[in-house]
Amino acid sequence: MADVWLAALITATPQEGFELALTLSRRGVRYTQPDTDTLKRLRAEYAESAEGLTAASQVVAINFQTVAAANNYWRA
Amino acid sequence: MADVWLAALITATPQEGFELALTLSRRGVRYTQPDTDTLKRLRAEYAESAEGLTAASQVVAINFQTVAAANNYWRA
Amino acid sequence: MADVWLAALITATPQEGFELALTLSRRGVRYTQPDTDTLKRLRAEYAESAEGLTAASQVVAINFQTVAAANNYWRA
Amino acid sequence: MADVWLAALITATPQEGFELALTLSRRGVRYTQPDTDTLKRLRAEYAESAEGLTAASQVVAINFQTVAAANNYWRA
Amino acid sequence: MADVWLAALITATPQEGFELALTLSRRGVRYTQPDTDTLKRLRAEYAESAEGLTAASQVVAINFQTVAAANNYWRA
Amino acid sequence: MADVWLAALITATPQEGFELALTLSRRGVRYTQPDTDTLKRLRAEYAESAEGLTAASQVVAINFQTVAAANNYWRA
């Protein structure tokens, strides 16, 4: 991908960090399946599946570990 | 999401940290499936599945790693 | 849950730490499914499943990482 | 369990550390299913399943992370 | 494999680090299945599966943890 | 197992470290299923399965985290 979508792991707040973890998780999918229409169709499918949603939440949790460590856990 | 739901990773006790890990896990799901009725229906479903419950507990465990590290494990 | 079940991550020995990891894993389940009878029924089910037992052991392993780090690996 | 099976995470060599990780993984299973005959039957089953063996190896890998960190990676 | 495909974990930017994590994930597959035609066929298959894409994204997330730590999270 | 197969986690290069992670992953399997013929048959099976290959790559990624940390990420 030629565009810059990840300039830094630093965020202002934990919540923005969590949302960055969400972006990382989706990008991890998009690199394998770049077609937007296919992605939309599949997302609609697993958004109705308890197992699919739990798996998605797990990937976010793993990426949030990375983002939180990068931000030194937003300690004051 | 416009509301602030995650202001800090710091909690007073390990148990509150565990409950924050639970919140992170559920938010990870809600970002993908924001519809509350669908979430309730799916939760009822996997709350009856040994596999679903173990998977949910795993996501909590991963998020608890992050929260515990942020709190320096609540060491005195 | 109003009761205090997790006062500290510090334990006297690695084995007690492992057993605390087990408690964390089961609490991760109980927060999602608080009904004791349902939990007993499901536990009986996955205790007979190789896949279910391996998945349970994985959650314990993740929680043990947290407890072991909190205790600085019980180094003398 | 009343017996002491985990006195320390320190081992003399990385290989002994890996074998301790194996022990931790099996203990994680045994706490959920303490019956030895059932365990033997289930182990025979997943030892013939590629998926089951990969899952078992994953739990060992997670426990080996803990043991290796405890031993400071056996650096000289 | 005789060729050098991984000379260093250091990258100039987080995004390049994420792409290196992608490379690590694919190499992890290729060591087990070196046949390029088989890989292409299987990739086409799981690129149409929500579950397969989430699992792939999870491996990337785990490898990204390693690469990000190696780069000290690209902190200035 | 009586033979010494893991003398150290230190490797000269990241790529050798990745290959050591592969060895750890396979040994994790072999401790559970020591029969070489069975292993060959099962490997042939999951080498044709997208899901099996992704799962194998995930175990390698977890072991690579350990090896990379042991080598301090091969920083100069």
Side-chain angles (χ1 to χ4, degrees):
Chain A
M1 295 184 186
D3 66 311
V4 174
W5 62 271
L6 183 62
L9 295 179
I10 306 302
T11 68
T13 68
Q15 184 165 333
E16 286 178 33
F18 195 82
E19 287 162 0
L20 177 54
L22 206 82
T23 300
L24 292 169
S25 307
R26 288 178 180 164
R27 282 282 171 169
V29 168
R30 193 175 299 186
Y31 274 99
T32 303
Q33 177 49 274
D35 183 69
T36 305
D37 285 345
T38 306
L39 285 175
K40 275 190 189 156
R41 181 168 48 77
L42 293 173
R43 186 167 301 168
E45 187 188 308
Y46 79 75
E48 295 289 330
S49 147
E51 196 178 276
L53 286 168
T54 303
S57 180
Q58 179 161 330
V59 182
V60 174
I62 294 168
N63 278 315
F64 186 55
Q65 287 192 329
T66 308
V67 175
N71 286 277
N72 201 23
Y73 304 101
W74 299 275
R75 286 184 196 126
Chain B
M1 294 186 187
D3 66 312
V4 174
W5 62 272
L6 182 62
L9 295 179
I10 306 301
T11 68
T13 67
Q15 184 165 333
E16 286 178 33
F18 196 83
E19 287 163 0
L20 177 55
L22 206 82
T23 300
L24 292 169
S25 307
R26 288 178 179 163
R27 282 285 170 166
V29 168
R30 193 176 298 187
Y31 274 99
T32 303
Q33 176 50 273
D35 183 69
T36 305
D37 286 345
T38 306
L39 285 176
K40 274 189 190 156
R41 180 168 48 77
L42 292 173
R43 187 167 301 169
E45 185 188 310
Y46 79 76
E48 295 289 330
S49 147
E51 195 178 277
L53 287 169
T54 304
S57 180
Q58 179 160 331
V59 181
V60 175
I62 295 168
N63 278 315
F64 186 55
Q65 287 192 328
T66 308
V67 176
N71 286 277
N72 201 23
Y73 304 101
W74 299 276
R75 287 185 196 125
Chain C
M1 295 185 187
D3 66 310
V4 173
W5 62 272
L6 183 62
L9 295 179
I10 305 302
T11 67
T13 67
Q15 184 165 332
E16 286 178 33
F18 196 83
E19 287 162 1
L20 177 55
L22 207 83
T23 299
L24 292 169
S25 307
R26 289 179 179 163
R27 282 284 170 167
V29 168
R30 193 176 298 188
Y31 274 100
T32 303
Q33 175 51 273
D35 183 69
T36 305
D37 285 345
T38 305
L39 284 176
K40 274 190 190 154
R41 181 168 48 78
L42 293 173
R43 187 167 301 168
E45 185 187 311
Y46 80 75
E48 295 288 330
S49 145
E51 197 177 274
L53 286 169
T54 304
S57 179
Q58 180 161 330
V59 182
V60 175
I62 294 168
N63 278 315
F64 186 56
Q65 288 191 328
T66 308
V67 176
N71 286 277
N72 200 22
Y73 304 101
W74 300 276
R75 286 185 197 125
Chain D
M1 295 186 187
D3 67 311
V4 174
W5 61 271
L6 182 62
L9 295 179
I10 306 303
T11 67
T13 67
Q15 184 166 331
E16 285 178 34
F18 196 83
E19 287 162 2
L20 177 55
L22 207 83
T23 299
L24 293 168
S25 307
R26 289 178 180 164
R27 283 282 171 169
V29 168
R30 194 175 298 187
Y31 274 100
T32 304
Q33 175 50 273
D35 183 68
T36 305
D37 285 345
T38 306
L39 284 176
K40 275 191 191 156
R41 181 168 49 77
L42 293 173
R43 187 168 301 168
E45 186 187 309
Y46 79 76
E48 296 288 329
S49 145
E51 198 177 273
L53 287 168
T54 304
S57 180
Q58 180 161 331
V59 182
V60 175
I62 293 167
N63 279 316
F64 187 56
Q65 288 191 328
T66 308
V67 176
N71 285 277
N72 201 23
Y73 304 101
W74 299 276
R75 285 184 197 126
Chain E
M1 296 186 186
D3 65 313
V4 175
W5 62 271
L6 183 62
L9 294 179
I10 305 303
T11 67
T13 67
Q15 184 166 333
E16 286 178 33
F18 195 82
E19 287 162 1
L20 177 54
L22 206 82
T23 299
L24 292 168
S25 307
R26 288 177 180 165
R27 283 281 171 169
V29 168
R30 193 175 299 187
Y31 274 100
T32 303
Q33 176 48 274
D35 182 69
T36 306
D37 285 345
T38 306
L39 284 175
K40 275 191 189 156
R41 180 168 48 78
L42 293 173
R43 187 167 300 167
E45 187 188 308
Y46 79 74
E48 295 289 329
S49 147
E51 197 178 274
L53 287 168
T54 304
S57 180
Q58 180 161 331
V59 182
V60 175
I62 294 167
N63 279 315
F64 186 56
Q65 287 191 329
T66 308
V67 175
N71 285 277
N72 201 23
Y73 305 100
W74 299 275
R75 286 185 196 123
Chain F
M1 296 187 188
D3 65 312
V4 174
W5 62 271
L6 183 62
L9 294 179
I10 306 303
T11 67
T13 67
Q15 184 166 332
E16 286 178 33
F18 196 83
E19 287 162 0
L20 177 55
L22 206 82
T23 298
L24 292 168
S25 307
R26 289 178 180 165
R27 283 282 171 169
V29 168
R30 194 175 297 187
Y31 274 100
T32 304
Q33 175 49 274
D35 183 68
T36 305
D37 285 345
T38 306
L39 284 176
K40 274 192 190 154
R41 180 168 50 77
L42 293 173
R43 187 167 300 168
E45 186 187 308
Y46 78 76
E48 295 289 328
S49 146
E51 198 178 273
L53 287 168
T54 303
S57 180
Q58 180 161 330
V59 182
V60 175
I62 294 167
N63 279 315
F64 187 55
Q65 288 192 328
T66 308
V67 175
N71 285 277
N72 201 23
Y73 305 100
W74 299 274
R75 286 184 196 126

